Amino acid sequence: MGRDERASITPELLAYFAGFFDGEGCAQLTRHNDAIYPRFCVKVSVGQVDPKPLRMLQESFGGKLSMYPNGTSSNARQPFTEWRLVGKKACIFLTAILPNLIVKKEQAELCLSFSRLPWRWKVGWGSTRSPEQAAIDMDYWRKVKLAKRVHSG
């Protein structure tokens, strides 16, 4: 999605998306253990039974919609839909809704701060980070996990 398309999203719709994400969404750093040091990626997701708001999110920000006709392990009786974004697209979404977030604001800020680390977009999956950079990445991962626990109970 280009910058012009995002410009057409009204402030009211962004506020709606933020409220919806605050209640139903998840901002996280996903961990991949296929390198010398674990790799992390910003990911946002929202799942629920009614796919309409998720389609609106996809139309506005892109991403992937997955439908689970038999539900999920915690809700096995109803069809369930999940919308998700990863990487730079996830950061664009979090930046857009950040001013309106309340519950998930700390998680979003940590994910965005992580994404701004100088080496985040400069290293590929085949390149190596220093042990210090890997330790900082791991620290962000722990902080995001802790922020999720604080706000989930």
Side-chain angles (χ1 to χ4, degrees):
M1 176 182 63
R3 189 173 296 274
D4 294 338
E5 293 173 48
R6 279 194 309 278
S8 67
I9 301 172
T10 65
E12 294 81 11
L13 189 55
L14 282 176
Y16 171 77
F17 287 156
F20 184 66
F21 186 79
D22 251 351
E24 303 292 332
C26 176
Q28 64 187 26
L29 298 179
T30 57
R31 180 177 174 164
H32 305 274
N33 290 319
D34 57 353
I36 295 172
Y37 303 112
R39 304 261 178 207
F40 301 92
C41 182
V42 176
K43 176 184 172 185
V44 296
S45 60
V46 183
Q48 74 159 28
V49 173
D50 187 343
K52 286 183 226 130
L54 305 175
R55 286 190 192 113
M56 291 169 57
L57 283 162
Q58 185 185 38
E59 288 167 9
S60 298
F61 290 95
K64 180 174 171 84
L65 271 183
S66 297
M67 304 211 176
Y68 303 96
N70 297 321
T72 64
S73 58
S74 63
N75 185 8
R77 295 181 201 175
Q78 294 182 314
F80 184 81
T81 304
E82 180 187 48
W83 169 76
R84 66 185 168 277
L85 286 171
V86 295
K88 291 181 182 181
K89 286 185 176 184
C91 294
I92 289 167
F93 172 71
L94 290 174
T95 300
I97 66 168
L98 187 65
N100 295 301
L101 288 176
I102 297 169
V103 177
K104 305 272 175 25
K105 190 170 198 119
E106 182 183 6
Q107 293 172 40
E109 288 174 337
L110 284 166
C111 287
L112 289 170
S113 180
F114 171 82
S115 76
R116 289 188 290 269
L117 292 172
W119 59 88
R120 287 305 325 139
W121 308 109
K122 293 183 177 140
V123 296
W125 287 104
S127 56
T128 359
R129 294 162 295 148
S130 71
E132 295 80 15
Q133 291 169 335
I136 291 169
D137 287 356
M138 183 67 82
D139 189 47
Y140 269 98
W141 180 71
R142 287 187 188 109
K143 287 177 183 177
V144 173
K145 282 185 71 107
L146 180 61
K148 285 177 63 172
R149 281 195 201 112
V150 167
H151 296 293
S152 65

